[in-house]
Amino acid sequence: MLGLLGAPGAESEFALPISSKTVERWACDCSMTRVLMKDSVVIDVGRAERVIKGPKRRALIARDKHCQWPGCERPASWCDGHHIVHWINGGGLELENLVLLCQRHHWLVHEGEWQIVKTGADEIVPVAPTRLFGMPRGPD
Ligand SMILES: [Zn+2]
Ligand SMILES: [Zn+2]
């Protein structure tokens, strides 16, 4: 999740290796359990806790009501809470850093590399990824 070069993909039961972008999306809004290991031996397991839970989740749903991608009105029950600055990068759990996105648009932000920019009016503006095709070759 730190985006380190050469880091192995994540693993899941009955699946091929999973990209760090997919794990990042899952980690935006999931239940997490802390598992401490030492020398490949589990030494402690914590309780599962949701990343966005209780009153914070209710406040997010009350504020956004549906996916906040412009033109999308998929209901909150179809949405994940997305961290505009991901918690792995130091983003907080305050409401200003959270936005409801349906699974399709949440996927676009993480795996599709779109960016979300929040305006002063509490609206979000999606910014398409920059793709560079056919870079000019230098002289041979
Ligand atoms: Zn997210
Ligand atoms: Zn949407």
PDB file of all heavy atoms in Angstrom, residues 114-137:
ATOM      1  N   TRP A 114      -8.099   8.319 -11.636  1.00  0.00           N
ATOM      2  CA  TRP A 114      -8.695   9.652 -11.671  1.00  0.00           C
ATOM      3  C   TRP A 114      -8.383  10.329 -10.344  1.00  0.00           C
ATOM      4  O   TRP A 114      -8.142   9.653  -9.339  1.00  0.00           O
ATOM      5  CB  TRP A 114     -10.214   9.555 -11.852  1.00  0.00           C
ATOM      6  CG  TRP A 114     -10.643   9.266 -13.256  1.00  0.00           C
ATOM      7  CD1 TRP A 114     -10.374   8.131 -13.960  1.00  0.00           C
ATOM      8  CD2 TRP A 114     -11.395  10.105 -14.117  1.00  0.00           C
ATOM      9  NE1 TRP A 114     -10.925   8.217 -15.210  1.00  0.00           N
ATOM     10  CE2 TRP A 114     -11.556   9.420 -15.335  1.00  0.00           C
ATOM     11  CE3 TRP A 114     -11.960  11.367 -13.974  1.00  0.00           C
ATOM     12  CZ2 TRP A 114     -12.261   9.967 -16.406  1.00  0.00           C
ATOM     13  CZ3 TRP A 114     -12.668  11.910 -15.038  1.00  0.00           C
ATOM     14  CH2 TRP A 114     -12.803  11.222 -16.247  1.00  0.00           C
ATOM     15  N   GLN A 115      -8.404  11.651 -10.325  1.00  0.00           N
ATOM     16  CA  GLN A 115      -8.204  12.382  -9.079  1.00  0.00           C
ATOM     17  C   GLN A 115      -9.487  13.109  -8.726  1.00  0.00           C
ATOM     18  O   GLN A 115     -10.253  13.489  -9.602  1.00  0.00           O
ATOM     19  CB  GLN A 115      -7.072  13.395  -9.213  1.00  0.00           C
ATOM     20  CG  GLN A 115      -5.715  12.749  -9.347  1.00  0.00           C
ATOM     21  CD  GLN A 115      -4.618  13.791  -9.451  1.00  0.00           C
ATOM     22  OE1 GLN A 115      -4.859  14.988  -9.485  1.00  0.00           O
ATOM     23  NE2 GLN A 115      -3.391  13.319  -9.497  1.00  0.00           N
ATOM     24  N   ILE A 116      -9.665  13.296  -7.440  1.00  0.00           N
ATOM     25  CA  ILE A 116     -10.823  14.046  -6.952  1.00  0.00           C
ATOM     26  C   ILE A 116     -10.302  15.340  -6.361  1.00  0.00           C
ATOM     27  O   ILE A 116      -9.429  15.318  -5.507  1.00  0.00           O
ATOM     28  CB  ILE A 116     -11.528  13.241  -5.845  1.00  0.00           C
ATOM     29  CG1 ILE A 116     -12.111  11.961  -6.409  1.00  0.00           C
ATOM     30  CG2 ILE A 116     -12.542  14.079  -5.123  1.00  0.00           C
ATOM     31  CD1 ILE A 116     -13.570  11.989  -6.652  1.00  0.00           C
ATOM     32  N   VAL A 117     -10.833  16.451  -6.828  1.00  0.00           N
ATOM     33  CA  VAL A 117     -10.468  17.749  -6.257  1.00  0.00           C
ATOM     34  C   VAL A 117     -11.727  18.325  -5.642  1.00  0.00           C
ATOM     35  O   VAL A 117     -12.780  18.360  -6.285  1.00  0.00           O
ATOM     36  CB  VAL A 117      -9.922  18.699  -7.349  1.00  0.00           C
ATOM     37  CG1 VAL A 117      -9.632  20.065  -6.758  1.00  0.00           C
ATOM     38  CG2 VAL A 117      -8.683  18.101  -7.991  1.00  0.00           C
ATOM     39  N   LYS A 118     -11.627  18.740  -4.386  1.00  0.00           N
ATOM     40  CA  LYS A 118     -12.781  19.302  -3.704  1.00  0.00           C
ATOM     41  C   LYS A 118     -12.743  20.816  -3.834  1.00  0.00           C
ATOM     42  O   LYS A 118     -11.722  21.435  -3.576  1.00  0.00           O
ATOM     43  CB  LYS A 118     -12.750  18.887  -2.232  1.00  0.00           C
ATOM     44  CG  LYS A 118     -14.069  19.006  -1.554  1.00  0.00           C
ATOM     45  CD  LYS A 118     -14.064  18.227  -0.253  1.00  0.00           C
ATOM     46  CE  LYS A 118     -15.475  18.177   0.288  1.00  0.00           C
ATOM     47  NZ  LYS A 118     -15.556  17.389   1.501  1.00  0.00           N
ATOM     48  N   THR A 119     -13.862  21.394  -4.264  1.00  0.00           N
ATOM     49  CA  THR A 119     -13.921  22.848  -4.407  1.00  0.00           C
ATOM     50  C   THR A 119     -14.379  23.453  -3.091  1.00  0.00           C
ATOM     51  O   THR A 119     -14.807  22.747  -2.190  1.00  0.00           O
ATOM     52  CB  THR A 119     -14.907  23.247  -5.520  1.00  0.00           C
ATOM     53  OG1 THR A 119     -16.217  22.879  -5.097  1.00  0.00           O
ATOM     54  CG2 THR A 119     -14.563  22.576  -6.829  1.00  0.00           C
ATOM     55  N   GLY A 120     -14.329  24.742  -3.001  1.00  0.00           N
ATOM     56  CA  GLY A 120     -14.760  25.426  -1.783  1.00  0.00           C
ATOM     57  C   GLY A 120     -16.235  25.225  -1.502  1.00  0.00           C
ATOM     58  O   GLY A 120     -16.674  25.302  -0.369  1.00  0.00           O
ATOM     59  N   ALA A 121     -17.028  24.956  -2.549  1.00  0.00           N
ATOM     60  CA  ALA A 121     -18.476  24.815  -2.385  1.00  0.00           C
ATOM     61  C   ALA A 121     -18.865  23.383  -2.025  1.00  0.00           C
ATOM     62  O   ALA A 121     -19.993  22.975  -2.221  1.00  0.00           O
ATOM     63  CB  ALA A 121     -19.174  25.245  -3.669  1.00  0.00           C
ATOM     64  N   ASP A 122     -17.891  22.597  -1.514  1.00  0.00           N
ATOM     65  CA  ASP A 122     -18.139  21.205  -1.126  1.00  0.00           C
ATOM     66  C   ASP A 122     -18.553  20.330  -2.292  1.00  0.00           C
ATOM     67  O   ASP A 122     -19.230  19.337  -2.120  1.00  0.00           O
ATOM     68  CB  ASP A 122     -19.181  21.117  -0.007  1.00  0.00           C
ATOM     69  CG  ASP A 122     -18.512  20.940   1.346  1.00  0.00           C
ATOM     70  OD1 ASP A 122     -17.270  20.854   1.377  1.00  0.00           O
ATOM     71  OD2 ASP A 122     -19.237  20.867   2.354  1.00  0.00           O
ATOM     72  N   GLU A 123     -18.203  20.722  -3.502  1.00  0.00           N
ATOM     73  CA  GLU A 123     -18.426  19.870  -4.654  1.00  0.00           C
ATOM     74  C   GLU A 123     -17.097  19.226  -5.010  1.00  0.00           C
ATOM     75  O   GLU A 123     -16.040  19.756  -4.695  1.00  0.00           O
ATOM     76  CB  GLU A 123     -18.930  20.696  -5.844  1.00  0.00           C
ATOM     77  CG  GLU A 123     -20.302  21.288  -5.625  1.00  0.00           C
ATOM     78  CD  GLU A 123     -20.707  22.194  -6.771  1.00  0.00           C
ATOM     79  OE1 GLU A 123     -19.851  22.510  -7.624  1.00  0.00           O
ATOM     80  OE2 GLU A 123     -21.877  22.581  -6.808  1.00  0.00           O
ATOM     81  N   ILE A 124     -17.187  18.090  -5.695  1.00  0.00           N
ATOM     82  CA  ILE A 124     -15.949  17.466  -6.131  1.00  0.00           C
ATOM     83  C   ILE A 124     -15.848  17.569  -7.648  1.00  0.00           C
ATOM     84  O   ILE A 124     -16.847  17.560  -8.354  1.00  0.00           O
ATOM     85  CB  ILE A 124     -15.832  15.991  -5.672  1.00  0.00           C
ATOM     86  CG1 ILE A 124     -16.948  15.133  -6.251  1.00  0.00           C
ATOM     87  CG2 ILE A 124     -15.778  15.893  -4.173  1.00  0.00           C
ATOM     88  CD1 ILE A 124     -16.699  13.647  -6.068  1.00  0.00           C
ATOM     89  N   VAL A 125     -14.632  17.708  -8.098  1.00  0.00           N
ATOM     90  CA  VAL A 125     -14.363  17.781  -9.528  1.00  0.00           C
ATOM     91  C   VAL A 125     -13.417  16.632  -9.867  1.00  0.00           C
ATOM     92  O   VAL A 125     -12.297  16.591  -9.369  1.00  0.00           O
ATOM     93  CB  VAL A 125     -13.721  19.128  -9.912  1.00  0.00           C
ATOM     94  CG1 VAL A 125     -13.375  19.162 -11.393  1.00  0.00           C
ATOM     95  CG2 VAL A 125     -14.621  20.281  -9.523  1.00  0.00           C
ATOM     96  N   PRO A 126     -13.901  15.669 -10.682  1.00  0.00           N
ATOM     97  CA  PRO A 126     -13.012  14.585 -11.088  1.00  0.00           C
ATOM     98  C   PRO A 126     -12.043  15.064 -12.165  1.00  0.00           C
ATOM     99  O   PRO A 126     -12.418  15.820 -13.055  1.00  0.00           O
ATOM    100  CB  PRO A 126     -13.957  13.525 -11.663  1.00  0.00           C
ATOM    101  CG  PRO A 126     -15.342  14.038 -11.479  1.00  0.00           C
ATOM    102  CD  PRO A 126     -15.261  15.488 -11.157  1.00  0.00           C
ATOM    103  N   VAL A 127     -10.794  14.651 -12.051  1.00  0.00           N
ATOM    104  CA  VAL A 127      -9.774  15.027 -13.027  1.00  0.00           C
ATOM    105  C   VAL A 127      -9.248  13.745 -13.661  1.00  0.00           C
ATOM    106  O   VAL A 127      -8.767  12.851 -12.965  1.00  0.00           O
ATOM    107  CB  VAL A 127      -8.623  15.798 -12.350  1.00  0.00           C
ATOM    108  CG1 VAL A 127      -7.547  16.167 -13.367  1.00  0.00           C
ATOM    109  CG2 VAL A 127      -9.157  17.030 -11.639  1.00  0.00           C
ATOM    110  N   ALA A 128      -9.376  13.660 -14.983  1.00  0.00           N
ATOM    111  CA  ALA A 128      -8.970  12.447 -15.703  1.00  0.00           C
ATOM    112  C   ALA A 128      -7.464  12.253 -15.609  1.00  0.00           C
ATOM    113  O   ALA A 128      -6.708  13.220 -15.530  1.00  0.00           O
ATOM    114  CB  ALA A 128      -9.401  12.553 -17.163  1.00  0.00           C
ATOM    115  N   PRO A 129      -7.027  10.986 -15.635  1.00  0.00           N
ATOM    116  CA  PRO A 129      -5.580  10.731 -15.603  1.00  0.00           C
ATOM    117  C   PRO A 129      -4.923  11.202 -16.884  1.00  0.00           C
ATOM    118  O   PRO A 129      -5.549  11.220 -17.946  1.00  0.00           O
ATOM    119  CB  PRO A 129      -5.489   9.212 -15.447  1.00  0.00           C
ATOM    120  CG  PRO A 129      -6.777   8.690 -15.972  1.00  0.00           C
ATOM    121  CD  PRO A 129      -7.805   9.748 -15.711  1.00  0.00           C
ATOM    122  N   THR A 130      -3.691  11.596 -16.774  1.00  0.00           N
ATOM    123  CA  THR A 130      -2.926  11.991 -17.946  1.00  0.00           C
ATOM    124  C   THR A 130      -2.286  10.746 -18.540  1.00  0.00           C
ATOM    125  O   THR A 130      -1.596  10.012 -17.848  1.00  0.00           O
ATOM    126  CB  THR A 130      -1.823  12.987 -17.550  1.00  0.00           C
ATOM    127  OG1 THR A 130      -2.432  14.091 -16.899  1.00  0.00           O
ATOM    128  CG2 THR A 130      -1.063  13.472 -18.775  1.00  0.00           C
ATOM    129  N   ARG A 131      -2.588  10.493 -19.788  1.00  0.00           N
ATOM    130  CA  ARG A 131      -1.993   9.333 -20.455  1.00  0.00           C
ATOM    131  C   ARG A 131      -1.104   9.859 -21.572  1.00  0.00           C
ATOM    132  O   ARG A 131      -1.513  10.698 -22.362  1.00  0.00           O
ATOM    133  CB  ARG A 131      -3.072   8.438 -21.066  1.00  0.00           C
ATOM    134  CG  ARG A 131      -4.050   7.912 -20.063  1.00  0.00           C
ATOM    135  CD  ARG A 131      -3.689   6.499 -19.659  1.00  0.00           C
ATOM    136  NE  ARG A 131      -4.740   5.921 -18.861  1.00  0.00           N
ATOM    137  CZ  ARG A 131      -4.587   5.579 -17.591  1.00  0.00           C
ATOM    138  NH1 ARG A 131      -3.427   5.739 -17.006  1.00  0.00           N
ATOM    139  NH2 ARG A 131      -5.577   5.047 -16.916  1.00  0.00           N
ATOM    140  N   LEU A 132       0.098   9.367 -21.621  1.00  0.00           N
ATOM    141  CA  LEU A 132       1.020   9.764 -22.669  1.00  0.00           C
ATOM    142  C   LEU A 132       1.253   8.577 -23.596  1.00  0.00           C
ATOM    143  O   LEU A 132       1.842   7.565 -23.192  1.00  0.00           O
ATOM    144  CB  LEU A 132       2.350  10.229 -22.068  1.00  0.00           C
ATOM    145  CG  LEU A 132       2.229  11.433 -21.124  1.00  0.00           C
ATOM    146  CD1 LEU A 132       3.580  11.725 -20.486  1.00  0.00           C
ATOM    147  CD2 LEU A 132       1.738  12.656 -21.891  1.00  0.00           C
ATOM    148  N   PHE A 133       0.723   8.674 -24.800  1.00  0.00           N
ATOM    149  CA  PHE A 133       0.923   7.615 -25.780  1.00  0.00           C
ATOM    150  C   PHE A 133       1.856   8.124 -26.857  1.00  0.00           C
ATOM    151  O   PHE A 133       1.888   9.312 -27.180  1.00  0.00           O
ATOM    152  CB  PHE A 133      -0.414   7.228 -26.433  1.00  0.00           C
ATOM    153  CG  PHE A 133      -1.389   6.626 -25.467  1.00  0.00           C
ATOM    154  CD1 PHE A 133      -2.493   7.336 -25.023  1.00  0.00           C
ATOM    155  CD2 PHE A 133      -1.212   5.343 -24.989  1.00  0.00           C
ATOM    156  CE1 PHE A 133      -3.390   6.794 -24.136  1.00  0.00           C
ATOM    157  CE2 PHE A 133      -2.101   4.774 -24.102  1.00  0.00           C
ATOM    158  CZ  PHE A 133      -3.197   5.505 -23.663  1.00  0.00           C
ATOM    159  N   GLY A 134       2.595   7.228 -27.434  1.00  0.00           N
ATOM    160  CA  GLY A 134       3.428   7.557 -28.591  1.00  0.00           C
ATOM    161  C   GLY A 134       4.453   8.629 -28.294  1.00  0.00           C
ATOM    162  O   GLY A 134       4.578   9.595 -29.049  1.00  0.00           O
ATOM    163  N   MET A 135       5.155   8.485 -27.179  1.00  0.00           N
ATOM    164  CA  MET A 135       6.199   9.460 -26.875  1.00  0.00           C
ATOM    165  C   MET A 135       7.200   9.501 -28.018  1.00  0.00           C
ATOM    166  O   MET A 135       7.592   8.453 -28.562  1.00  0.00           O
ATOM    167  CB  MET A 135       6.926   9.070 -25.587  1.00  0.00           C
ATOM    168  CG  MET A 135       6.040   9.157 -24.342  1.00  0.00           C
ATOM    169  SD  MET A 135       5.676  10.853 -23.886  1.00  0.00           S
ATOM    170  CE  MET A 135       7.245  11.315 -23.181  1.00  0.00           C
ATOM    171  N   PRO A 136       7.603  10.687 -28.430  1.00  0.00           N
ATOM    172  CA  PRO A 136       8.563  10.758 -29.523  1.00  0.00           C
ATOM    173  C   PRO A 136       9.888  10.091 -29.151  1.00  0.00           C
ATOM    174  O   PRO A 136      10.332  10.195 -28.012  1.00  0.00           O
ATOM    175  CB  PRO A 136       8.742  12.268 -29.744  1.00  0.00           C
ATOM    176  CG  PRO A 136       8.279  12.900 -28.484  1.00  0.00           C
ATOM    177  CD  PRO A 136       7.261  11.984 -27.870  1.00  0.00           C
ATOM    178  N   ARG A 137      10.428   9.387 -30.091  1.00  0.00           N
ATOM    179  CA  ARG A 137      11.708   8.720 -29.840  1.00  0.00           C
ATOM    180  C   ARG A 137      12.844   9.691 -30.091  1.00  0.00           C
ATOM    181  O   ARG A 137      12.788  10.539 -30.962  1.00  0.00           O
ATOM    182  CB  ARG A 137      11.884   7.543 -30.798  1.00  0.00           C
ATOM    183  CG  ARG A 137      11.017   6.354 -30.414  1.00  0.00           C
ATOM    184  CD  ARG A 137      11.253   5.213 -31.363  1.00  0.00           C
ATOM    185  NE  ARG A 137      12.652   4.799 -31.345  1.00  0.00           N
ATOM    186  CZ  ARG A 137      13.115   3.792 -32.054  1.00  0.00           C
ATOM    187  NH1 ARG A 137      12.295   3.097 -32.812  1.00  0.00           N
ATOM    188  NH2 ARG A 137      14.381   3.450 -32.001  1.00  0.00           N
TER     189      ARG A 137
END
